[in-house]
């Protein structure tokens, strides 16, 4: 299986990544309508280097999901107001527009596009970085400042020196749409701030990566339910020479999900936790497991397997967390 293809299959994974719209510009420059916030179907097709019909077919199949993330079909008065505000010259009776979230949503659904595949790969890399960063060791202020200095000057120039002044001029001369224009200007300024916040993480993706495969592995495990994850870990134990491997996960597992024997004959107890990357395994979690493994199950080896980070205190708790 192609590793980035897990995003094609799991809406839960897609929803978890929709805030990372900055990866669109990292993969390829995205042209926007004059409102600075939307694109048309033709512009989406041009970005992904596919035909317009491919985008229309995708919208037909996933319309409800895309509408949740900013896809809209404008008609009537709403269309006329949008044309007046954005300066679009069009005589069509309807117009489909897409927000950046909707475009990213399409990138996670579009199969026959190399650009979409690159976007999915970036998203999985960012997911992997989020998992491996220590949860209680934020970067020093000096580190953040040095990263901010390297923000793409083209983006900040367009947003700060072109788009915002354009809104300022429109606000001064507009009466009927003044409130809407002020709201749009605030949105653009918010986007600029978010680009700065995300830039530090994007810098990590620019160099060559030897651990790219791990991103797909982690995403594949995210698509599993709890029982499937336990069975997966059990298969890994058998692969590494363990015997008598039994999956015991459930309300009566007494704190240990898997038991068995190592290749050299020692008894082993395993705890499996398939948590989201923003959560963390704490020291009390590890200590509770140690008590169950050592006292209730008399395990000689205690192994804690999780898909989320461990706090520093948890990593110091014996046995070694994994």
């Amino acid at each position: 299986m192609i590793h980035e293809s897990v995003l094609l299959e799991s809406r839960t994974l897609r929803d978890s990544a929709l805030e990372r719209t900055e990866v669109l510009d990292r993969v390829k420059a995205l042209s926007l309508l004059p409102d600075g916030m939307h694109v048309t179907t033709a512009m989406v097709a041009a970005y992904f280097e596919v035909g317009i019909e491919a985008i229309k077919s995708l919208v037909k199949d996933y319309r409800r999901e895309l509408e949740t993330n900013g896809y809209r079909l404008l008609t009537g008065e709403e269309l006329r107001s949008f044309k007046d505000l954005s300066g679009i010259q069009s005589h069509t009776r309807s117009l489909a527009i897409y927000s950046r979230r909707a475009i990213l949503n399409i990138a996670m659904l579009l199969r026959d596009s190399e650009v979409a595949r690159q976007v999915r790969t970036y998203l999985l890399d960012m997911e992997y970085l989020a998992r491996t960063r220590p949860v209680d060791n934020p970067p020093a202020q000096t580190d953040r400042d040095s990263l901010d200095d390297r923000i793409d000057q083209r983006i900040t120039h367009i947003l700060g020196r072109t788009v915002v002044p354009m809104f300022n001029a429109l606000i001064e001369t507009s009466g009927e749409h003044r409130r809407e224009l002020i709201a749009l200007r605030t949105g653009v300024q918010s986007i600029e701030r978010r680009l700065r916040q995300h830039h530090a993480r994007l810098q990590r993706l620019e160099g060559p990566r030897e651990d790219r495969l791990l991103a797909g592995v982690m995403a594949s495990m995210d698509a599993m339910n709890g029982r499937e994850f336990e069975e997966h870990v059990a298969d890994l134990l058998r692969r590494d020479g363990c015997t008598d491997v039994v999956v015991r996960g459930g309300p009566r597992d007494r704190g240990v999900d898997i038991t068995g024997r190592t290749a050299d004959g020692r008894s082993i107890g395993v705890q499996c936790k398939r948590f989201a990357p923003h959560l963390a395994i704490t020291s009390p979690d590890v200590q509770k497991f140690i008590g169950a493994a050592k006292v209730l199950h008399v395990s000689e080896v205690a192994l804690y397997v999780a898909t989320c980070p461990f706090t520093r205190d948890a990593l110091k708790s014996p046995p070694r967390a994994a």
Side-chain angles (χ1 to χ4, degrees):
M1 175 185 293
I2 300 175
H3 294 117
E4 33 78 28
S5 66
V6 294
L7 288 168
L8 297 166
E9 310 300 335
S10 173
R11 179 169 180 178
T12 299
L13 287 179
R14 293 196 295 271
D15 289 344
S16 70
L18 283 168
E19 293 300 324
R20 296 170 177 166
T21 57
E22 71 277 1
V23 302
L24 295 170
D25 295 296
R26 182 59 55 179
V27 173
K28 182 181 177 182
L30 176 64
S31 299
L32 300 173
L33 290 171
D35 70 350
M37 300 176 65
H38 297 93
V39 301
T40 64
T41 302
M43 296 168 72
V44 175
Y47 177 82
F48 290 114
E49 300 175 5
V50 298
I52 292 178
E53 291 304 317
I55 303 301
K56 290 182 176 179
S57 176
L58 197 67
V59 171
K60 180 179 179 181
D61 293 338
Y62 294 93
R63 180 161 184 157
R64 182 173 298 180
E65 179 177 341
L66 291 170
E67 286 179 337
T68 301
N69 294 307
Y71 166 81
R72 294 167 62 194
L73 183 63
L74 304 180
T75 59
E77 182 60 33
E78 188 177 25
L79 175 59
R80 286 191 290 273
S81 296
F82 183 80
K83 287 180 180 179
D84 292 340
L85 182 61
S86 63
I88 295 177
Q89 300 297 323
S90 173
H91 300 291
T92 59
R93 295 183 179 181
S94 64
L95 178 68
I97 59 173
Y98 306 73
S99 68
R100 292 177 67 90
R101 282 173 62 98
I103 300 167
L104 182 59
N105 199 164
I106 289 175
M108 292 185 277
L109 292 167
L110 192 59
R111 296 178 181 271
D112 298 325
S113 167
E114 177 61 22
V115 175
R117 189 197 66 78
Q118 292 178 24
V119 171
R120 293 193 293 270
T121 299
Y122 264 115
L123 286 173
L124 293 176
D125 282 341
M126 294 176 70
E127 178 77 1
Y128 174 74
L129 290 173
R131 293 179 182 281
T132 55
R133 183 183 298 119
V135 296
D136 53 355
N137 185 30
Q141 182 64 43
T142 55
D143 293 337
R144 293 197 296 269
D145 291 342
S146 64
L147 288 173
D148 286 341
D149 291 338
R150 299 197 299 270
I151 294 175
D152 192 321
Q153 294 301 312
R154 292 174 300 171
I155 297 176
T156 56
H157 175 82
I158 291 172
L159 292 178
R161 299 187 180 182
T162 304
V163 178
V164 172
M166 178 188 72
F167 277 121
N168 291 338
L170 289 172
I171 290 169
E172 291 298 324
T173 59
S174 175
E176 181 181 357
H177 299 291
R178 181 180 177 85
R179 182 174 300 176
E180 291 86 351
L181 288 168
I182 292 175
L184 286 172
R185 181 184 63 183
T186 301
V188 170
Q189 293 170 327
S190 175
I191 290 171
E192 183 179 5
R193 288 194 298 270
R194 288 174 59 189
L195 284 173
R196 291 180 178 275
Q197 293 168 358
H198 287 295
H199 183 71
R201 286 183 293 172
L202 291 176
Q203 288 296 312
R204 295 175 178 264
L205 302 176
E206 291 184 345
R209 294 283 304 280
E210 296 180 356
D211 54 3
R212 189 176 298 277
L213 293 177
L214 293 177
V217 172
M218 294 303 299
S220 297
M221 287 190 287
D222 278 337
M224 302 176 184
N225 59 36
R227 184 67 177 189
E228 289 171 341
F229 181 56
E230 292 167 1
E231 294 287 354
H232 176 67
V233 174
D235 288 340
L236 294 178
L237 292 171
R238 297 185 186 102
R239 181 202 65 183
D240 292 338
C242 294
T243 59
D244 301 328
V245 176
V246 177
V247 178
R248 303 178 180 276
R252 298 182 179 180
D253 60 17
R254 301 174 70 196
V256 171
D257 295 320
I258 304 173
T259 59
R261 290 195 172 274
T262 63
D264 58 5
R266 292 176 295 166
S267 59
I268 182 173
V270 184
Q271 176 70 276
C272 302
K273 292 297 182 185
R274 190 189 60 83
F275 285 166
H278 65 274
L279 300 176
I281 304 300
T282 65
S283 181
D285 294 330
V286 175
Q287 294 296 338
K288 181 179 179 180
F289 165 61
I290 293 173
K294 296 292 187 179
V295 177
L296 299 180
H297 292 268
V298 197
S299 302
E300 297 173 83
V301 177
L303 179 65
Y304 205 124
V305 184
T307 59
C308 63
F310 291 79
T311 64
R312 296 189 183 279
D313 288 340
L315 290 171
K316 294 176 182 178
S317 302
R320 184 180 178 182

